[in-house]
């Protein structure tokens, strides 16, 4: 079958959209990496930026494991993590959480078309709710699930399977918008339709093979949905 026809058939099954948060809803990944690098200098930790990239799309617990494996059990990981988080929060208190371009337009489009939405993030649930509420975006989501509510983090599909269940939809009826490698792996493993909107990490050959489609922005996602003639009508 023609690949375009296969994609259209898949998209016509979509009844709900599940979002990741950091790097998709909020332009927060770069800011947090910048905070990590700034704080790490104080503790004499090297190559933090590269290590942080390996933590994208993981839970706090997994991030700590990666950092300890890189810098050793005696490294001041907790202190660095605490200080970087406080620096990040300070910036957001003073400036607001930076949003990805097109996010409000896409969420409003889905709301107007009565499409069920969920947010499934590796971040702690209460932090997710707080950040969405502060940005005035909480009301756009029918379901909120954080990384603390599932046993296995991405690339395991658990968080997306839980989101689909809470939405009352089969995983194959859900489109998942992600920016991270582990997020796309998890979305594919869930049997959903993964859309990658790259943030810091650009897709490699593996990720392109797992993603239903790679799009450059959330505006492009909205246009893609509009072009999928039977998706919202």
């Amino acid at each position: 079958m023609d690949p375009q026809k296969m994609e259209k058939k898949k998209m016509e099954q979509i009844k709900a959209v599940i979002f990741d948060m950091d790097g998709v809803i909020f332009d927060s990944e770069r800011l947090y990496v910048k905070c990590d690098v700034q704080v790490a200098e104080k503790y004499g930790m090297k190559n933090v930026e590269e290590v942080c990239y390996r933590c994208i799309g993981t839970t706090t617990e997994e991030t700590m494991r990666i950092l300890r494996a890189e810098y050793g059990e005696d490294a001041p990981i907790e202190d660095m993590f605490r200080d970087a988080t406080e620096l990040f929060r300070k910036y957001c208190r003073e400036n607001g959480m930076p949003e990805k371009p097109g996010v409000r337009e896409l969420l409003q489009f889905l709301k107007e078309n009565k499409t069920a939405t969920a947010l499934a993030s590796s971040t702690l649930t209460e932090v997710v709710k707080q950040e969405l509420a502060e940005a005035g975006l909480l009301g756009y989501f029918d379901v909120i699930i954080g990384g603390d509510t599932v046993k296995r983090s991405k690339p395991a599909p658990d968080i997306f399977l839980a989101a689909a269940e809470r939405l009352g939809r089969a995983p194959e009826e859900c489109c998942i918008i992600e920016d991270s490698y582990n997020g796309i792996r998890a979305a594919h493993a869930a049997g959903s339709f993964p859309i990658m909107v790259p943030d810091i990490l650009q897709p490699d050959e593996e990720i392109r093979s797992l993603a239903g489609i790679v799009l450059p922005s959330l505006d492009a996602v909205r246009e893609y949905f509009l072009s999928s003639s039977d998706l919202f009508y």
Side-chain angles (χ1 to χ4, degrees), residues 170-233:
E172 57 268 22
E173 294 180 310
C174 298
C175 169
I176 297 173
I177 302 176
E178 265 283 1
D179 71 296
S180 72
Y181 288 5
N182 279 343
I184 292 298
R185 291 174 182 130
H188 182 268
S192 300
F193 186 85
I195 294 180
M196 185 180 193
V197 181
D199 183 37
I200 291 177
L201 303 175
Q202 297 301 309
D204 58 15
E205 184 176 346
E206 177 211 355
I207 297 304
R208 287 188 179 277
S209 72
L210 298 179
I213 192 168
V214 178
L215 295 170
S217 68
L218 295 179
D219 286 326
V221 172
R222 183 163 51 89
E223 291 299 319
Y224 179 66
F225 286 163
L226 279 168
S227 70
S228 301
S229 58
D230 297 324
L231 181 55
F232 297 103
Y233 302 98

Side-chain angles (χ1 to χ4, degrees), residues 107-229:
L107 290 171
Q108 185 62 31
F109 170 80
L110 295 172
K111 184 175 182 179
E112 289 173 355
N113 284 277
K114 298 180 174 57
T115 304
T117 56
L119 193 140
S121 170
S122 298
T123 302
L124 297 174
T125 305
E126 288 308 311
V127 174
V128 171
K129 290 180 178 179
Q130 178 184 342
E131 292 181 352
L132 290 173
E134 289 174 352
L137 297 175
L138 185 61
Y140 283 106
F141 297 98
D142 302 301
V143 168
I144 305 288
I145 296 185
D148 53 314
T149 64
V150 294
K151 290 184 178 180
R152 298 186 301 169
S153 62
K154 305 170 189 177
D158 300 30
I159 196 166
F160 293 136
L161 294 175
E165 182 178 12
R166 291 268 302 276
L167 287 169
R169 295 294 181 182
E172 57 268 22
E173 294 180 310
C174 298
C175 169
I176 297 173
I177 302 176
E178 265 283 1
D179 71 296
S180 72
Y181 288 5
N182 279 343
I184 292 298
R185 291 174 182 130
H188 182 268
S192 300
F193 186 85
I195 294 180
M196 185 180 193
V197 181
D199 183 37
I200 291 177
L201 303 175
Q202 297 301 309
D204 58 15
E205 184 176 346
E206 177 211 355
I207 297 304
R208 287 188 179 277
S209 72
L210 298 179
I213 192 168
V214 178
L215 295 170
S217 68
L218 295 179
D219 286 326
V221 172
R222 183 163 51 89
E223 291 299 319
Y224 179 66
F225 286 163
L226 279 168
S227 70
S228 301
S229 58

